[in-house]
Amino acid sequence: MVTIKDVAQAAGVSPSTVSRALNDSPLLREETKARILRIAAELGYERNELARGLVLGTSGAIGLVVPDIANPFFAELTRGVGERAHARGYGVVLCNTDGDLERERSYIRLLRRKRVDGLILATVTADDPYLKLLALSHTPFVLVSRRSQQVEAPYVGVDDLLGGKLAVEHLVELGHRKIGFIGGPPDVRCSQERFQAYQDTLRRHRLPLRKGWVKFSDFTQAAGYQAGRAMLARKTRPTAIFAANDVTALGVLRAAEELGLDIPEDLSLVGYDDISFAGLPRIELTTVAQPSFKLGQLAADWLLRMLSGKPPRQSVKLLPPKLVVRETTAPPPG
Amino acid sequence: MVTIKDVAQAAGVSPSTVSRALNDSPLLREETKARILRIAAELGYERNELARGLVLGTSGAIGLVVPDIANPFFAELTRGVGERAHARGYGVVLCNTDGDLERERSYIRLLRRKRVDGLILATVTADDPYLKLLALSHTPFVLVSRRSQQVEAPYVGVDDLLGGKLAVEHLVELGHRKIGFIGGPPDVRCSQERFQAYQDTLRRHRLPLRKGWVKFSDFTQAAGYQAGRAMLARKTRPTAIFAANDVTALGVLRAAEELGLDIPEDLSLVGYDDISFAGLPRIELTTVAQPSFKLGQLAADWLLRMLSGKPPRQSVKLLPPKLVVRETTAPPPG
DNA sequence: TTGTACGCGTTATCAC
DNA sequence: GTGATAACGCGTACAA
């Protein structure tokens, strides 16, 4: 690899001069600057960001930790982060935990050893004790989509209490009285809040809250299918289900189909996220939309802002969810 | 941040001794090694991989460039890469090009400046001249899913000639004689090969090959919708369409739905990839399955093998595709 | 078995 | 304007 020294030699100047030319220093004569740049290009010189980072104390990269990149919600979020980070010359190191807490920690350690300038975490559980340690360290980080209960950290997400309410109120308005809930991991705050909203809304309307109509899974299609089957195979089953994310809802859809239930005639179904596959013809899932791409952009903007030393404008940013009514919801049968 | 110097001081030894302890050198007495490791842990020492990389000439990271992380095919592929890379302590720097050639190049430059140890490219176009330059450089890379026509580079993918044949033969066997094709970007090899297979199969069966029944788009749902509408709105339209990937096929599905065409009664549809959403109830897309996760694993394994200096076993690895018949295909109407 | 000295490629800070 | 020097944190010949 050609280094700054090689360029210096070829140009008959010192390495420092080359460095200055590369960094467009105003101290240099335009003429020499141009000449050095030309020679550097001819030699195929590419700055070693590793070495530069060592001096400057920055790696020019941020870490992004997501639970499941195969979930379109996180894929879109990742796109948003990448777009903003790359625009400012930052690299994005992606880590996929598959919901495994141990892997999450191991990734964060890896990322810190690599001296990423900051972290975006979309994986934290509500009571993660490790987060406290991270908060004590000097690695800036922002939480996105999933927040912590204990640590007051920068967070960008969607108002899930409102989103959950939107979903369940919609079902209640349609006339449903037997409403089930299928959540994600029970220790994930957004799942908890959607559940909380479910409970609150049922209570407000004095509707029954049955144990068998509540299940927690792990936000995957397979788990949604399992939970759906279990819930729908009961002797008395709900006439509507609020699934705490779209891929889970799609799993429930399959379970219902297998059991010979028609949607929405026999069962109404509401998801959460509005991934692009929710709007497919014949699926037409009613859902609560989250601006996933924008969430990623915002999280990146925020982190980048912290990295440039500017103070955060606020510590929590909550975007509004939006109910998207399609064709998986209807009044209950009978 | 605590460095090896700090640990050395605390332990009353020299920095080199600490370095040796950290690297588990056999030269050290077990006792001192253990003591140093303990002290390092107490101090919260984390090795600076940047500095280490500068010395060792390696960054411990690989770059992954994909055209569209929101396409589940690439999301799964990314999972595969991540799994294998992380298992060996490598970080994965993800870059999403959205199909933009300029962005691809700019990302590759960024990645090289960051001194990633190697590259996995899932974005190359068949005649990309930049690839030649890359091949000349000393950055190891492997191509996945999309190969080059000109540069003989390590490649892992699926036999698209066979995959395309599987798809079209299936339609022919069902009795279709008017078969359309909707491809991806025309300069992407896998799209070209699926098209080639389409043409070959039609010719072999002496079936008509009409211009209006062939369209190229960009492998997105939106583009599939556009192309589908255009093709299906013609006076004489095909009775079956082979879409070169699943998200495109889902776009066609929407177009057909809008035009009041029933699938598979009025129109048969075959996709490619077998993303998880293809198997959804009510969608049940007939498609050609690609082992996307495995493709990612293989690509990573291969690159990592190259990085460890071992010679590649071969330069091209072609996995077999598999036809998955579901419910979007049936004999033609009438 | 451990310490010393140097180098990896770059930038900041002094000199000139 | 430009060059020399030190420093970033680490690994490794070489010396002790």
Side-chain angles (χ1 to χ4, degrees), chain A residues 29-43:
Chain A
R29 202 188 311 165
E30 281 302 327
E31 179 195 320
T32 38
K33 197 186 287 183
R35 190 169 58 86
I36 292 174
L37 256 30
R38 185 173 46 74
I39 294 179
E42 279 170 8
L43 262 46

Side-chain angles (χ1 to χ4, degrees), chain B residues 10-330:
Chain B
V13 295
S14 78
S16 19
T17 305
V18 177
S19 171
R20 282 189 272 256
L22 258 23
N23 291 310
D24 200 25
S25 158
L27 299 160
L28 239 57
R29 202 189 309 166
E30 281 303 326
E31 181 194 318
T32 38
K33 197 186 288 183
R35 191 169 56 87
I36 292 174
L37 256 30
R38 186 174 45 75
I39 294 180
E42 280 170 8
L43 262 47
Y45 169 80
E46 303 215 51
R47 170 193 266 159
N48 185 333
E49 301 280 357
L50 247 61
R52 182 169 208 251
L54 188 56
V55 176
L56 264 32
T58 155
S59 66
I62 62 175
L64 172 61
V65 189
V66 300
D68 182 13
I69 189 68
N71 180 333
F73 172 76
F74 292 108
E76 280 296 335
L77 191 150
T78 299
R79 276 188 63 228
V81 169
E83 194 223 45
R84 292 305 170 94
H86 292 314
R88 312 237 333 234
Y90 279 83
V92 176
V93 184
L94 179 73
C95 296
N96 192 75
T97 68
D98 282 333
D100 184 333
L101 197 63
E102 261 327 298
R103 276 171 74 179
E104 176 186 339
R105 291 184 189 175
S106 137
Y107 284 152
I108 293 180
R109 274 199 301 273
L110 173 70
L111 259 8
R112 298 194 66 216
R113 283 204 309 274
K114 290 202 177 304
R115 293 300 189 271
V116 291
D117 296 330
L119 251 26
I120 296 179
L121 306 177
T123 45
V124 305
T125 51
D127 54 355
D128 191 340
Y130 186 70
L131 201 61
K132 278 189 184 163
L133 268 65
L134 188 60
L136 254 42
S137 81
H138 290 284
T139 309
F141 66 94
V142 350
L143 270 28
V144 59
S145 184
R146 300 185 178 184
R147 66 203 293 198
S148 162
Q149 230 139 29
Q150 343 175 46
V151 178
E152 184 61 30
Y155 170 73
V156 355
V158 155
D159 186 341
D160 285 314
L161 251 17
L162 176 55
K165 186 179 161 188
L166 255 30
V168 182
E169 286 284 0
H170 170 61
L171 292 172
V172 172
E173 270 172 32
L174 285 171
H176 289 275
R177 299 186 48 83
K178 301 192 283 184
I179 302 174
F181 175 82
I182 296 181
D187 54 356
V188 166
R189 177 88 173 262
C190 70
S191 174
Q192 292 172 349
E193 292 193 343
R194 292 168 204 175
F195 177 56
Q196 183 69 47
Y198 161 79
Q199 284 184 306
D200 292 349
T201 308
L202 290 198
R203 279 211 196 88
R204 197 169 335 104
H205 290 281
R206 305 187 192 290
L207 293 177
L209 221 155
R210 309 216 348 195
K211 272 227 157 155
W213 294 351
V214 172
K215 292 228 177 296
F216 290 89
S217 65
D218 69 354
F219 274 157
T220 66
Q221 203 173 311
Y225 168 79
Q226 296 292 349
R229 267 206 82 102
M231 192 180 296
L232 295 172
R234 299 174 65 87
K235 46 214 161 306
T236 56
R237 50 175 165 70
T239 60
I241 290 179
F242 169 34
N245 81 348
D246 280 354
V247 295
T248 300
L250 295 175
V252 175
L253 193 69
R254 157 167 292 148
E257 195 86 4
E258 272 191 21
L259 293 168
L261 295 172
D262 284 333
I263 292 183
E265 293 78 9
D266 302 322
L267 178 75
S268 281
L269 186 59
V270 182
Y272 206 104
D273 288 348
D274 196 24
I275 60 177
S276 71
F277 301 97
L280 246 28
R282 310 205 225 170
I283 296 289
E284 298 288 358
L285 180 68
T286 293
T287 189
V288 177
Q290 292 199 78
S292 47
F293 183 73
K294 190 167 188 181
L295 243 27
Q297 287 182 316
L298 249 39
D301 283 346
W302 202 331
L303 182 63
L304 263 21
R305 189 184 160 85
M306 288 166 70
L307 295 183
S308 69
K310 288 177 205 152
R313 273 189 251 277
Q314 51 194 326
S315 91
V316 170
K317 172 108 184 169
L318 242 44
L319 266 35
K322 203 178 140 215
L323 181 70
V324 179
V325 178
R326 294 205 182 91
E327 297 170 17
T328 55
T329 46

